[in-house]
Amino acid sequence: MSNPIGLQDGGLADPASTSGASEEPGGPVISKSPTQLAMGRLLKDKLTMISAAFVVFFVLLALTAPLAYHVFGWIDPLKSDQDLLNDFSLPAGKWGGISSDHWLGVEPGAGRDTLARVWYGTTFSLLIALSATIVAMVLGVVLGIVSGAAGGWVDAIIGRIIDLTLAFPQTLMLLALASTGMIMVRNYLHTPAGNVTAAVYVVIVLGAFGWTSIARIVRGQVLSMREFEFVHAAQMMGASKVRIYFREILPNLWAPILVTFTLMMPAFVSAEAALAYLNVGIGAPTPTLGNVLSDSISFADTAPVYFFVPACMIAAIVISFNLLGDGLRDALDPKGNR
Amino acid sequence: MWAYAARRVVIGILLLLALSLVTFILFFASPADQAKLACGKQCTQAQIAVTEKALGYDKPVYEQWAGFAKGVVAGRDFPIDQAQREAAPETVTHCAAPCLGFSKYYGETVNSLIKDYAPISISLAVVAVVLWLFFGVLLGIAAAVTKGSILDRGIVGLTLLVYAFPTFFIGVFFLKYVVVKWGLLDYPYYTPIAEGGVWGWLTNLWLPSLTLALVFLASYVRMTRAFVLESLGEDYIRTAKAKGLNSRAVLFKHGLRAALTPLVTMTGIDFGTLLGGAIITESVFAYPGLGLLTVQSSQAWDLPTVVGIVLIAGSFVVLMNIIVDIAYAFIDPRVRLG
């Protein structure tokens, strides 16, 4: 299927057009590598730099949550405090119980600190998204390279597997398989019951359905790169096929892989939330952004702050990763000398 | 042309066969005791054995699949075990071809279940596809012709913002705030055309359909924008302008032409996926479509229904793929040669 925004062109497919020298009248000719050119474009792109800063911020949040909880004791996502709630089990005080102790208010029902829930939830949400992205990436890159490198019937079979994977309705499968899938995960991988099994199941299934896009991109890149001089040179030196494809060609695919990676993360953060709404995946009391939000919808009208905070957090993560991915793609596109 | 179409159909049928086989393996090869789950918690060992025979779970997976495939072609009778049928002829349910199985949980054939639930999913999908195509293409063109302006940034930014919030959040927001709290709209209940007429059907449908459409809007806006922008830089656009064609004709006849192929692809696949049920939206609005049926039946471990829905949903995707491929041959003359 065609790729609307031109991901296929996202790599360093055409060194001829990129290894140009920037010529300043009168000055010395400065040659820049494609990477330097891309970095230059990236640094000039304000929106992308801002979204990159946000992405770094969210990743830092995710990394520091365990420290803030276990080491410094700033937050406690599990501590429930009924004193913070009024007679209706809703947050006492204005604005959903926002105070100097509870910056983002209090969770209705259990009386836990929303900031702690959302902060720690970011850790688990990003962890799941990252693991699923890695699974999808490894599957997709390996199958894409094998497909492009082997050609013939291997290529045809992998192509059919991609068709088959795409024919499965994803959300439906994730939900429908949940019951049997979790049993399989527990039996075959011997994971402890409960949230670990649920998380492993979600990661495996998201990855198993998410690898097709990167596989197609990698296959296309491999096909175009097969005829490059450095590949012929490696062949001349008697390099094995495995070496050529995984040691020579693969490192040159970092650009499309990076872009797809950045765009896959937010998709899986959203997917985690959607699945949490369907009661698949990590469940309370362990917080994820998805299960905090899906818990909050029963208080949508009575505790608006608690309803909007996790949703805005998810939206902020999704937007910043998406904008960063778009910016990276534009910057890494060798034709992007605008 | 017809040979091409025939080839696509044959590939589609093979894909469906593979889909059903993989679905079967995924669901019925799991170590879970299917018969026990289908029978219920209070069942004795003897009752479980009866259920096992009635639904054919005592046979190996490939035999179950062969029976299923035969049912699709020729129809079959339940219970599957002949001795049981002869012992109690009054309990026999005939399931006419194409038979998708029998749900013990609902006590009827999967076909009649799908017949009851599918119209709602189809209605939702049809209205949603009209909404997102109309607004997506319109906003995409508006963004492309005003590239770089506040309007362009506003359109792209707003649609990304809407995309970033989880669907169930948007749905719940519409229901709890727009409908209930602010009273701006009537509470939507699904009304079939037979009951409420086309107007009643549509007025109750558009809010959930809008929720659904908002998910897709961003990608359609971006794609239309990207392709229109790309084609506006082409020589044939300059030629069309130079020969004095008015700018509207240039834009809609020539500018939009390039976006047609990817639009058809994306619409076909997204629409095909949605026909199989919009799980989240149907759950939020409590619309009894295939998505809600999936949620209910997978919670009840009603595997025959789940498998039936997965296959129906998969068939929709495969069917839409075939239609898209054939549509290509009409849109793009180059495809006919391939």
Side-chain angles (χ1 to χ4, degrees):
Chain A
M1 248 48 58
S2 77
N3 191 308
I5 323 171
L7 247 185
Q8 255 109 341
D9 304 324
L12 301 171
D14 190 5
S17 69
T18 52
S19 57
S22 71
E23 287 179 43
E24 291 161 36
V29 176
I30 308 161
S31 68
K32 285 181 175 173
S33 75
T35 314
Q36 283 169 328
L37 284 168
M39 274 311 285
R41 281 197 291 264
L42 205 57
L43 289 173
K44 265 188 278 174
D45 189 346
K46 264 189 223 146
L47 186 62
T48 307
M49 293 317 289
I50 293 172
S51 41
F54 270 99
V55 167
V56 170
F57 171 68
F58 289 129
V59 171
L60 282 179
L61 267 190
L63 290 174
T64 51
L67 287 178
Y69 175 27
H70 295 290
V71 180
F72 299 111
W74 294 337
I75 53 169
D76 190 343
L78 302 177
K79 196 183 88 187
S80 119
D81 188 351
Q82 294 294 331
D83 294 345
L84 298 166
L85 305 173
N86 62 18
D87 297 342
F88 307 102
S89 271
L90 294 173
K94 274 188 173 175
W95 292 102
I98 289 183
S99 64
S100 55
D101 288 336
H102 303 281
W103 294 3
L104 294 178
V106 181
E107 177 193 35
R112 291 176 287 212
D113 178 37
T114 308
L115 174 69
R117 305 282 300 161
V118 169
W119 193 348
Y120 222 118
T122 307
T123 308
F124 283 112
S125 282
L126 285 186
L127 189 66
I128 286 186
L130 179 70
S131 320
T133 307
I134 291 173
V135 171
M137 280 291 168
V138 170
L139 262 176
V141 167
V142 170
L143 285 172
I145 288 187
V146 169
S147 187
W153 61 271
V154 176
D155 187 22
I157 285 180
I158 293 178
R160 293 292 85 77
I161 294 178
I162 291 179
D163 286 348
L164 189 63
T165 313
L166 290 175
F168 277 110
Q170 273 200 36
T171 329
L172 210 156
M173 282 307 279
L174 275 159
L175 173 68
L177 269 179
S179 38
T180 50
M182 300 237 272
I183 295 181
M184 281 198 230
V185 167
R186 215 163 61 218
N187 281 15
Y188 296 135
L189 301 178
H190 305 290
T191 51
N195 278 338
V196 179
T197 302
V200 171
Y201 166 75
V202 168
V203 165
I204 290 178
V205 184
L206 282 180
F209 283 107
W211 60 274
T212 51
S213 57
I214 184 69
R216 281 195 168 144
I217 295 164
V218 165
R219 176 182 171 274
Q221 292 283 313
V222 167
L223 285 181
S224 71
M225 219 170 263
R226 254 198 327 208
E227 303 304 323
F228 280 4
E229 279 92 346
F230 73 92
V231 176
H232 290 311
Q235 279 166 345
M236 295 278 285
M237 284 188 282
S240 71
K241 269 202 157 179
V242 174
R243 197 200 146 83
I244 288 174
Y245 285 108
F246 285 88
R247 297 290 297 277
E248 305 288 338
I249 290 185
L250 182 58
N252 284 294
L253 295 176
W254 67 269
I257 290 176
L258 181 69
V259 170
T260 315
F261 190 97
T262 321
L263 292 173
M264 216 180 253
M265 284 288 292
F268 286 150
V269 170
S270 301
E272 189 277 326
L275 287 172
Y277 175 71
L278 299 170
N279 284 323
V280 178
I282 294 182
T286 308
T288 68
L289 291 176
N291 74 29
V292 172
L293 179 60
S294 78
D295 175 59
S296 79
I297 60 174
S298 28
F299 306 102
D301 39 1
T302 48
V305 172
Y306 180 55
F307 178 54
F308 283 100
V309 163
C312 291
M313 189 67 182
I314 293 174
I317 292 177
V318 170
I319 289 175
S320 38
F321 270 95
N322 265 306
L323 288 178
L324 176 63
D326 286 348
L328 282 175
R329 177 170 50 207
D330 289 344
L332 292 168
D333 185 352
K335 289 174 217 151
N337 290 315
R338 290 153 303 154
Chain B
M1 179 66 213
W2 290 112
Y4 175 77
R7 203 166 65 222
R8 295 303 313 176
V9 171
V10 170
I11 291 177
I13 290 171
L14 289 177
L15 201 59
L16 278 182
L17 277 178
L19 187 76
S20 71
L21 191 58
V22 174
T23 313
F24 250 76
I25 293 170
L26 282 176
F27 281 103
F28 289 105
S30 83
D33 190 344
Q34 312 291 350
K36 198 171 168 184
L37 292 164
C39 191
K41 277 187 183 130
Q42 275 85 39
C43 279
T44 61
Q45 208 61 38
Q47 283 170 312
I48 292 172
V50 171
T51 314
E52 191 167 44
K53 276 202 156 166
L55 296 175
Y57 292 150
D58 52 335
K59 302 201 178 75
V61 178
Y62 64 89
E63 250 179 70
Q64 290 184 38
W65 179 71
F68 177 86
K70 206 184 122 205
V72 171
V73 181
R76 68 204 294 214
D77 293 315
F78 291 94
I80 291 167
D81 191 59
Q82 199 177 353
Q84 282 183 9
R85 281 207 304 270
E86 279 163 6
E90 71 280 359
T91 60
V92 172
T93 313
H94 178 68
C95 173
C99 176
L100 291 171
F102 181 80
S103 159
K104 182 129 171 53
Y105 179 72
Y106 291 97
E108 51 182 318
T109 59
V110 174
N111 296 44
S112 70
L113 275 175
I114 288 177
K115 215 176 282 165
D116 290 344
Y117 284 79
I120 293 150
S121 294
I122 295 174
S123 305
L124 273 175
V126 169
V127 179
V129 84
V130 170
L131 283 175
W132 89 58
L133 263 185
F134 179 75
F135 288 108
V137 173
L138 203 71
L139 293 175
I141 295 174
V145 288
T146 58
K147 189 195 173 214
S149 72
I150 295 174
L151 184 68
D152 175 28
R153 280 163 195 220
I155 289 173
V156 174
L158 260 181
T159 49
L160 178 63
L161 184 71
V162 171
Y163 163 84
F165 282 97
T167 317
F168 66 92
F169 170 81
I170 293 179
V172 170
F173 176 78
F174 278 157
L175 273 185
K176 294 260 175 94
Y177 281 82
V178 180
V179 173
V180 176
K181 202 165 188 175
W182 300 332
L184 299 176
L185 297 163
D186 288 335
Y187 203 97
Y189 297 100
Y190 179 72
T191 321
I193 295 186
E195 275 173 36
V198 176
W199 184 245
W201 172 78
L202 201 62
T203 46
N204 277 296
L205 212 53
W206 78 267
L207 194 61
S209 292
L210 179 70
T211 310
L212 205 50
L214 287 178
V215 188
F216 295 95
L217 195 61
S219 47
Y220 282 77
V221 165
R222 291 164 140 230
M223 201 189 54
T224 310
R225 180 181 177 275
F227 274 92
V228 169
L229 266 184
E230 199 182 310
S231 68
L232 285 184
E234 299 281 350
D235 290 343
Y236 61 83
I237 295 286
R238 198 186 47 197
T239 311
K241 275 186 192 156
K243 77 179 182 188
L245 206 60
N246 72 49
S247 54
R248 191 175 300 162
V250 172
L251 188 64
F252 285 94
K253 263 187 99 175
H254 300 285
L256 206 53
R257 188 83 171 85
L260 198 58
T261 319
L263 269 179
V264 166
T265 313
M266 263 173 79
T267 311
I269 291 164
D270 289 340
F271 183 61
T273 314
L274 276 189
L275 285 176
I279 296 177
I280 305 265
T281 311
E282 285 171 19
S283 305
V284 170
F285 288 88
Y287 270 42
L290 290 177
L292 204 59
L293 183 64
T294 315
V295 176
Q296 290 167 354
S297 50
S298 64
Q299 273 164 4
W301 286 84
D302 180 21
L303 289 191
T305 309
V306 171
V307 170
I309 300 172
V310 167
L311 287 181
I312 281 290
S315 321
F316 283 136
V317 175
V318 172
L319 186 73
M320 287 313 295
N321 263 312
I322 295 174
I323 293 176
V324 163
D325 281 338
I326 294 175
Y328 269 1
F330 282 103
I331 300 169
D332 189 344
R334 286 169 302 184
V335 174
R336 265 170 255 172
L337 305 169

